Amino acid sequence: MSTGSGAASAPAPEPHDTLSALDTPARKNSMFSSLRIRNYRLFFLGQVVSNTGTWMQRIAQDWLVLSLTGSSAAVGITTALQFLPMLLFGLYGGVLVDRLRKRPTLLVTQTAMALTSLALAALTLTGQVQVWHIYVAAFALGLATVVDNPARQSFVTELVGPGQLQNAVSLNSANFQSARLVGPAVAGLLITGVGTGWAFLLNGLSFIAPLTGLLLMRSRELHTVERAPRGKGQLREGLRYVTGRPELIWPIVLVGFIGTFAFNFPVYLSAFADDVFHGGAGVYSMFNTLMAVGSVSGALLAARRGTARLRLLIVAALAFGGLEILAAASPELWMFALIMVPLGLVSMTVNVTTNTSLQMSTDPAMRGRVMALYMMVFLGGSPVGAPIVGWVTDTYGARVGFAAGGAVAVAAATVIGLILARAGGLRLSVGWHGGHPRVRFVPREHRKALAPVA
């Protein structure tokens, strides 16, 4: 519960309102309205610095593994190890987050992540680094993420309250993706200029900013949420809560398929940069930067939109898969690079819409567990998907691997969109309007009303 009147989130919709329950327009805010709140402003600014370092390390880590092994599958294994802890322990992390105070928890997890990056920097700068060192560091970062991710996701509500939640979630995504514009570019310069170790070092030092922001926050200005008491069966309780609500379980299933097979960009983009277009770290960084341009645009549009529509989620997921298939077939570097911008936009629309709709539909006492399940499925799918898509990419080529990931996204969005429509009492209507074909969902009762009377 929040300290004010009412719950800290919208009440969960009834199952029969699944596809339409989240379609009511929320109060529209200005694009940066949540930054007026001091605690959130400190959090946001700290994340700007830390996220830039995170993207530097991602690029440097992927390229270092590729340089040491020459294998896309090895890059996939690294990605898998980083997200394996989320798959194994993600739900337990959510239970802990619901029990613990969020700010002290984040101080611990952010410190652990900083120390891991600094250790990898020391090994790389001294010339002692081996592939297994990178594997261990990736797994250690993943362990910290098990608690850090749901804690950061649910802490946003405590920072801004329910009225600014949509805006703050969208700005967090814009923050992360804006760092993606700078981080890969800086990483490319560091890799080609002085080596990957400096990227790891700067990432470790970047955690000073969010740690300082957390320490400077005013506790009295937080929107306190009642913590879940210790008790047996809390993990099962969280699972029952999600599985009993179609508006929660099916978006999570959708992002599970997308995260497992279609979001493996370290594998896909490094393979296209190295094997298809015969570029280097600079081309790989360019692909990530162009995707970030679209992602920032998508996040800012979400911040301004003020709604969390499941219909939009399905459309964005379909567009995401279609763009991946189109990119896989692109014969020229400039065409492939150009598609990265809209691909980034729709991928961010999928991310922000899912995140916001889940938080706004979840009881505050359950939010840590729900967001942990979401992050476990979305990020934890990589240990399953990354080695598979890495093997497909190595065996059949980057184009086949990328197209296969896009096809999975299209198929999952189509099936789950129909399931949500049926659960919401809707049907697919295909017809003509103004001389153009129109496809939309309409209430089933509408069909009955149009049926001829006997």
Side-chain angles (χ1 to χ4, degrees), residues 81-276:
L81 286 171
Q82 187 160 335
F83 297 121
L84 181 61
M86 182 64 72
L87 180 64
L88 296 177
F89 311 116
L91 290 176
Y92 296 98
V95 172
L96 284 175
V97 167
D98 280 337
R99 292 176 180 173
L100 300 173
R101 293 169 57 201
K102 307 299 185 296
R103 187 162 61 143
T105 301
L106 288 172
L107 286 169
V108 173
T109 58
Q110 296 277 299
T111 300
M113 295 165 79
L115 293 175
T116 302
S117 298
L118 292 173
L120 185 58
L123 288 168
T124 307
L125 289 172
T126 57
Q128 304 298 313
V129 69
Q130 299 178 37
V131 174
W132 72 268
H133 291 146
I134 305 172
Y135 289 166
V136 170
F139 188 78
L141 283 172
L143 285 174
T145 302
V146 166
V147 176
D148 185 79
N149 258 339
R152 278 190 296 109
Q153 299 286 342
S154 54
F155 188 48
V156 173
T157 304
E158 296 189 23
L159 291 171
V160 302
Q164 295 287 348
L165 179 60
Q166 161 81 14
N167 183 263
V169 169
S170 300
L171 288 182
N172 281 351
S173 299
N175 184 331
F176 187 70
Q177 298 303 326
S178 297
R180 191 175 181 179
L181 291 170
V182 180
V186 175
L189 292 174
L190 289 173
I191 291 169
T192 56
V194 293
T196 55
W198 291 96
F200 299 142
L201 176 62
L202 290 178
N203 179 50
L205 296 176
S206 74
F207 283 95
I208 294 173
L211 289 170
T212 301
L214 288 167
L215 291 172
L216 291 176
M217 288 178 185
R218 296 170 181 164
S219 299
R220 66 181 181 275
E221 295 178 7
L222 294 174
H223 297 255
T224 305
V225 174
E226 182 180 348
R227 287 178 283 158
R230 291 180 177 272
K232 293 183 178 180
Q234 290 180 320
L235 183 58
R236 292 191 299 273
E237 181 186 13
L239 290 173
R240 285 196 301 269
Y241 180 83
V242 172
T243 55
R245 289 165 171 78
E247 74 280 358
L248 297 181
I249 185 61
W250 289 115
I252 290 176
V253 171
L254 175 59
V255 298
F257 277 104
I258 292 176
T260 300
F261 298 105
F263 259 75
N264 283 286
F265 293 115
V267 177
Y268 295 137
L269 298 187
S270 62
F272 266 87
D274 194 41
D275 299 333
V276 178

Side-chain angles (χ1 to χ4, degrees), residues 303-395:
R304 189 176 183 84
R305 189 162 49 239
T307 58
R309 298 175 183 267
L310 289 183
R311 297 178 187 180
L312 178 61
L313 171 62
I314 299 301
V315 172
L318 287 168
F320 175 76
L323 285 170
E324 284 201 344
I325 294 171
L326 182 62
S330 299
E332 302 291 340
L333 172 61
W334 68 267
M335 293 178 66
F336 184 88
L338 191 63
I339 294 173
M340 293 299 101
V341 177
L343 185 62
L345 190 151
V346 294
S347 70
M348 185 49 52
T349 302
V350 170
N351 193 330
V352 172
T353 304
T354 307
N355 190 316
T356 307
S357 65
L358 291 177
Q359 293 211 49
M360 294 180 70
S361 301
T362 302
D363 185 270
M366 290 285 184
R367 189 169 286 129
R369 277 164 282 185
V370 172
M371 297 312 296
L373 178 61
Y374 162 62
M375 298 307 297
M376 184 193 78
V377 171
F378 185 48
L379 299 180
S382 292
V384 177
I388 295 173
V389 301
W391 175 81
V392 171
T393 299
D394 281 342
T395 305

Side-chain angles (χ1 to χ4, degrees), residues 378-449:
F378 185 48
L379 299 180
S382 292
V384 177
I388 295 173
V389 301
W391 175 81
V392 171
T393 299
D394 281 342
T395 305
Y396 300 102
R399 295 189 186 278
V400 173
F402 208 14
V408 169
V410 169
T414 301
V415 172
I416 291 173
L418 293 172
I419 291 173
L420 285 172
R422 184 176 181 82
L426 303 175
R427 67 177 180 86
L428 186 66
S429 173
V430 181
W432 290 83
H433 179 74
H436 300 284
R438 180 170 67 173
V439 180
R440 58 177 181 156
F441 287 104
V442 297
R444 293 181 182 275
E445 291 76 8
H446 182 60
R447 179 175 58 181
K448 294 178 181 178

